[in-house]
Amino acid sequence: MTAPAASPPLAVPGVLATAWLVARKDLLIEFRTRSAFLAAVVFALIAVVIFRFSSDPTAVAPIDLAPGVLWVIFVFSGLLGLHRSFGVEHADRAMDGLLAAPVSREALFLGKALANLAFVAAVQIVAIPAVALFYDLPVGGGVLLGILLVAALAAVGLVAVGTLFSAMTGNTRLAELLLPMLALPFFVPVVTPAAMATARLLAGRPMAEMAGLLRMLGAFDVIFVVACTLAFPFTLED
Amino acid sequence: MPPDNGVYFQAAYAVIGVLYAGYALLLMRRRARVRKALDETSR
Amino acid sequence: MAAAARPSLSEAPVAPPARGRDLFLPLALLGVLGALVRAIWFTPVELMQGPAQKIFYVHVPAATVGLYVGLPIVAVCSAMYLWLRDERLDRVAESAAEVSLVFLTAVLVTGPLWGKPVWGTWWTWDARLTLTLFLWFVVLGYLIMRGALEDRGQRARFSAVLGLLAVLLVPFIHLSVNLFRTLHPKAIVLKPSAPSLPPEMLSTLGIAFAATVVLFFALLRARVRYAADRELLSRRLEGEG
């Protein structure tokens, strides 16, 4: 980071500004290597194709399959990025440096979550058109916009929970297995309404039918962003 | 006449018995093992 | 029990704690056995559902104890651990989670065994079944995470955080599983009107309930004692090494 050398912690920036600095650090690492992003995108594309071959095309219409495929892909490609989030910090004990910096723990968590949100969003921006293309989805009108809204609402909740669990599992022996194991049950209340809303959008149902589902996603976001931000400091102290 | 489905409840009771008694035995054995190790270290 | 002054569990006692035979657990098991004997031979067969209805006497108490006694203990001990930082609370949370897993497993096995003859299907994506299944997954994840963490303090903190987040998760899982239809029988004992079971069945259920609650606490006590001994052992080994 390019913090001026002559600024001791007297001007600690606001929580959000600090969070942005942390996020920028992570995104910079990711942007320079691009390893996780490319892996997640390739994984998403392969999964899109494989899911189509997992069912009889004459028995299951692509439009019935698409919402489930979309959400399974989001969740699993998201987990790929989330796993790295704290994995990179534990690798060379970089975490100690982060903790020694004059950064509040809450800001650190929000920064990590922000970077993960950007990662998930980037994967979704590739995956949604891919699913629309391969599954021949009617994405005209407001449908695509609606799916993006649902995806954005769902991503916030997924990332909040996933970032916290990534911090908790990052330095265990079983990290890559433990993270999905802990996180997936927490993803159920996100994936269920999100997939239902997606299915209704694709079926051209009116927006009013989705209000309850969107409210549920929003409530999950608010509660778990707050809870995970407050819980994060407990996972650090000694 | 009630339906003849006693086999299901026999199976359920057998599972319950094995589960509860098995877990209780497991706990006793685990504790006995730790106790033995404790006795050895205290010497 | 046997020794006059039992040393506190939080500090490492010099001599190992009381060695007397622990009779509570065998007695609790006998109690459950008695309840089963009463249910099998001394309780009338329900006319509509047949003998399979007797699964109810083990299923309902196990579900109630696991979901409404065991898991709340995990949640409360998790919250209190983060507040008081007493390792005994962490051991109780760990023990209650493991014992609850046994009871939830009993629920998930006996449920389908009742569902097949009565509903005609082993499993249905009914709200209560699904909720229990997800809680089972969460508890299993909790215990596996504990096993994967080496550091004592870290394990206790992470577990407590997970235990508390799970409390927030329950209403959301409940909401999402209710998006599907429910066909689970509603509570028939705690209805506001008079209970709708014949008296012999009701007393069998009551006995089964009492026996299951006693078994839960007997298992919990044994598990907490084991955790305390194990802790003592690992401290001693660390002290030597």
Side-chain angles (χ1 to χ4, degrees):
Chain A
M1 271 181 272
T2 53
S7 75
L10 33 104
V12 177
V15 170
L16 285 180
T18 320
W20 168 242
L21 286 179
V22 175
R24 212 187 60 165
K25 170 194 82 70
D26 276 16
L27 291 174
L28 208 60
I29 295 174
E30 183 50 45
F31 187 73
R32 291 206 176 128
T33 59
R34 272 185 289 262
S35 51
F37 177 68
L38 280 180
V41 165
V42 172
F43 165 80
L45 293 178
I46 293 174
V48 167
V49 175
I50 285 183
F51 270 111
R52 190 64 199 106
F53 282 96
S54 68
S55 63
D56 183 350
T58 59
V60 184
I63 197 168
D64 296 330
L65 204 59
V69 171
L70 203 57
W71 286 97
V72 169
I73 290 172
F74 281 176
V75 164
F76 284 97
S77 59
L79 283 171
L80 289 179
L82 290 166
H83 172 52
R84 265 179 64 90
S85 175
F86 280 89
V88 292
E89 304 295 356
H90 290 300
D92 300 316
R93 301 196 61 82
M95 196 69 195
D96 296 352
L98 267 183
L99 291 177
V103 168
S104 79
R105 271 86 204 267
E106 287 82 2
L108 179 55
F109 176 78
L110 288 175
K112 281 285 181 188
L114 216 57
N116 288 334
L117 191 62
F119 180 92
V120 170
V123 175
Q124 285 179 344
I125 282 173
V126 179
I128 293 176
V131 173
L133 174 74
F134 286 118
Y135 288 69
D136 193 21
L137 299 181
V139 287
V143 174
L144 190 60
L145 221 58
I147 292 180
L148 287 177
L149 172 68
V150 172
L153 276 175
V156 172
L158 294 185
V159 160
V161 175
T163 304
L164 182 70
F165 286 167
S166 167
M168 282 165 45
T169 57
N171 59 350
T172 59
R173 288 173 283 122
L174 299 170
E176 60 287 331
L177 291 173
L178 207 51
L179 175 62
M181 191 158 181
L182 294 182
L184 286 176
F186 282 79
F187 289 174
V188 171
V190 177
V191 171
T192 312
M196 280 189 158
T198 309
R200 289 182 194 179
L201 279 165
L202 290 175
R205 312 302 291 265
M207 212 52 188
E209 272 188 25
M210 275 151 262
L213 298 173
L214 294 182
R215 263 204 304 278
M216 189 173 154
L217 286 173
F220 187 95
D221 289 352
V222 171
I223 288 179
F224 276 91
V225 168
V226 172
C228 293
T229 309
L230 294 179
F232 179 69
F234 285 109
T235 66
L236 292 177
E237 76 198 85
D238 277 307
Chain B
M1 269 301 281
D4 177 27
N5 50 19
V7 61
Y8 290 100
F9 112 84
Q10 285 152 11
Y13 279 30
V15 168
I16 287 287
V18 168
L19 199 60
Y20 289 175
Y23 182 63
L25 282 178
L26 176 75
L27 280 186
M28 290 176 194
R29 278 188 46 194
R30 284 205 286 190
R31 183 148 192 253
R33 209 171 51 228
V34 172
R35 276 303 195 62
K36 198 162 152 258
L38 269 179
D39 284 352
E40 277 161 14
T41 55
S42 66
R43 262 182 238 131
Chain C
M1 279 162 105
R6 230 180 112 77
S8 155
L9 294 178
S10 58
E11 66 216 23
V14 185
R19 292 227 62 163
R21 273 239 160 263
D22 188 357
L23 282 179
F24 187 25
L25 188 49
L27 286 177
L29 281 173
L30 279 180
V32 171
L33 185 67
L36 294 188
V37 166
R38 183 183 158 96
I40 295 171
W41 287 293
F42 301 99
T43 305
V45 170
E46 213 258 358
L47 277 178
M48 298 294 291
Q49 297 184 13
Q53 179 268 341
K54 291 185 175 182
I55 292 172
F56 168 85
Y57 303 122
V58 293
H59 178 81
V60 174
T64 312
V65 170
L67 294 172
Y68 301 117
V69 180
L71 296 187
I73 290 178
V74 179
V76 170
C77 288
S78 296
M80 299 225 325
Y81 175 79
L82 288 182
W83 181 32
L84 299 171
R85 300 303 164 103
D86 187 327
E87 285 193 358
R88 282 173 295 182
L89 288 166
D90 179 54
R91 291 202 287 266
V92 175
E94 172 192 68
S95 306
E98 196 179 286
V99 176
S100 299
L101 187 71
V102 171
F103 283 92
L104 292 184
T105 307
V107 173
L108 287 174
V109 173
T110 54
L113 283 169
W114 178 83
K116 184 62 183 168
V118 176
W119 281 343
T121 174
W122 294 107
W123 183 265
T124 154
W125 292 101
D126 154 84
R128 283 199 192 192
L129 273 68
T130 315
L131 182 61
T132 309
L133 181 64
F134 278 118
L135 288 173
W136 190 82
F137 283 137
V138 171
V139 175
L140 199 59
Y142 174 94
L143 291 169
I144 290 177
M145 184 187 78
R146 293 193 67 101
L149 291 166
E150 313 267 332
D151 181 83
R152 195 175 289 132
Q154 199 177 49
R155 180 173 58 223
R157 290 196 314 273
F158 287 13
S159 309
V161 164
L162 182 59
L164 280 182
L165 282 185
V167 175
L168 295 178
L169 179 68
V170 170
F172 280 102
I173 292 195
H174 193 75
L175 273 175
S176 40
V177 298
N178 269 326
L179 293 174
F180 299 95
R181 286 175 60 86
T182 182
L183 75 120
H184 197 281
K186 290 283 175 291
I188 52 169
V189 179
L190 297 173
K191 271 199 312 199
S193 60
S196 47
L197 274 182
E200 302 98 321
M201 291 186 183
L202 199 62
S203 61
T204 301
L205 181 65
I207 290 168
F209 244 118
T212 310
V213 170
V214 170
L215 179 68
F216 174 85
F217 284 105
L219 288 171
L220 181 63
R221 177 166 165 271
R223 182 62 179 76
V224 170
R225 286 179 157 199
Y226 161 68
D229 283 351
R230 196 186 50 182
E231 192 69 35
L232 190 60
L233 180 64
S234 74
R235 273 182 205 281
R236 272 196 200 162
L237 294 177
E238 277 165 25
E240 283 170 8

